[in-house]
Amino acid sequence: MSTEHPELRRADGEPLRILAVDDEPMLTDLLAMALRMEGWEVRTAASGLEALTVAREFEPDALVLDVMMPDLDGMSVLRRLRESGNLVPVVFLTAKDAVADRIAGLTAGGDDYVTKPFSLEEVIARLRAVIRRSGQSRTEHEQAILRVADLSLNEDSHEVLRGDDEIELTATEFELLRFLMRNERRVLSKAQILDRVWSYDFGGKSSVVELYISYLRKKIDAGRTPLLHTVRGVGYMIKAPQ
């Protein structure tokens, strides 16, 4: 896993600290093993109350937090953290797939959501994304710059370049391009894009995705070798020319 992405570390150069919370020991053991393979320091907790204690002592850079726990559920853990001024990024784990549950987690101050059963790769990808967005980490090699062919996007300064040409994007266009570039060569459905770019607005219409893809094409690809591609009946992807 760690060979596929630039290494993320704390701003002081130390390994990232991740707290994994779930009342299933086999699951936390599996998560801890995968997270340590990324080079991160990991602690685990088996209950909500234990999670609060460990979070105070460990000062993690991110939490993987199960929603359903016997003593104090994940939503309550997050509320207590936020009330104490702790803004640590949180990725929820849940067996529930209902829209209402996902919205409740995000409203409570969560940063992302993974539904069980999940792949370890997905959890790590979501963690990397929320940690990068929080600005608490740095990479040894890339300094928050995403690249696809001659297109570059600086996540810190919000500068976008195609070759030597600077491209002006709206906030939504920038988020859409960033999501595509973080998932280079992966086909993303309209539902996935709506889910991640439009602030989890599940009432959104897929036509808005088509509209913003057309905006990006005019700014990114016009008069150049296309990087944005439509996979008919599936979705959209960005990839470098062969």
Side-chain angles (χ1 to χ4, degrees):
M1 295 175 192
S2 57
T3 60
E4 296 179 3
H5 304 283
E7 183 182 8
L8 278 181
R9 303 184 74 84
R10 304 186 98 186
D12 61 6
E14 292 297 309
L16 287 174
R17 297 176 184 174
I18 310 296
L19 173 57
V21 186
D22 197 294
D23 60 348
E24 298 178 44
M26 288 182 63
L27 182 56
T28 50
D29 287 349
L30 199 60
L31 275 170
M33 179 183 68
L35 296 170
R36 289 185 179 115
M37 286 177 65
E38 292 293 308
W40 300 341
E41 188 176 347
V42 184
R43 296 276 181 88
T44 62
S47 70
L49 291 174
E50 184 184 0
L52 290 170
T53 300
V54 176
R56 281 193 296 269
E57 299 169 353
F58 186 45
E59 297 183 349
D61 298 291
L63 265 71
V64 181
L65 182 59
D66 188 31
V67 171
M68 301 299 293
M69 288 184 290
D71 61 343
L72 194 65
D73 65 36
M75 305 290 185
S76 300
V77 170
L78 181 59
R79 287 191 186 98
R80 292 195 187 187
L81 287 171
R82 295 294 185 254
E83 286 167 2
S84 70
N86 191 332
L87 301 179
V88 61
V90 170
V91 175
F92 276 122
L93 299 179
T94 181
K96 296 183 178 180
D97 196 22
V99 168
D101 294 314
R102 300 176 70 181
I103 292 175
L106 297 166
T107 302
D111 297 272
D112 212 336
Y113 228 98
V114 180
T115 303
K116 299 176 183 178
F118 52 79
S119 70
L120 293 171
E121 288 82 1
E122 181 183 10
V123 175
I124 289 167
R126 299 290 180 96
L127 276 171
R128 291 177 66 89
V130 299
I131 291 167
R132 286 288 298 275
R133 288 202 298 270
S134 75
Q136 297 184 53
S137 66
R138 67 170 179 83
T139 65
E140 187 175 347
H141 304 296
E142 66 172 0
Q143 271 108 49
I145 296 178
L146 303 176
R147 299 184 192 277
V148 176
D150 62 344
L151 177 67
S152 65
L153 179 150
N154 189 311
E155 295 187 287
D156 291 336
S157 68
H158 279 222
E159 291 177 307
V160 177
L161 297 173
R162 182 85 196 256
D164 295 325
D165 298 327
E166 186 168 355
I167 297 168
E168 296 290 335
L169 298 179
T170 66
T172 301
E173 289 167 351
F174 182 87
E175 287 303 319
L176 173 56
L177 182 61
R178 173 157 60 178
F179 185 41
L180 289 164
M181 291 180 74
R182 281 178 177 166
N183 292 276
E184 183 186 1
R185 301 189 66 83
R186 178 184 171 197
V187 180
L188 301 170
S189 69
K190 291 177 184 177
Q192 285 176 304
I193 293 171
L194 274 174
D195 189 36
R196 298 299 297 277
V197 176
W198 271 267
S199 301
Y200 295 84
D201 180 9
F202 297 94
K205 307 230 177 194
S206 61
S207 58
V208 75
V209 178
E210 297 171 18
L211 184 64
Y212 273 83
I213 289 288
S214 72
Y215 291 161
L216 275 186
R217 281 200 168 111
K218 288 174 185 173
K219 294 185 177 184
I220 301 296
D221 285 347
R224 305 178 177 97
T225 303
L227 299 178
L228 294 167
H229 301 272
T230 300
V231 180
R232 298 206 176 276
V234 184
Y236 304 96
M237 70 184 298
I238 191 167
K239 65 177 181 177
Q242 295 296 323

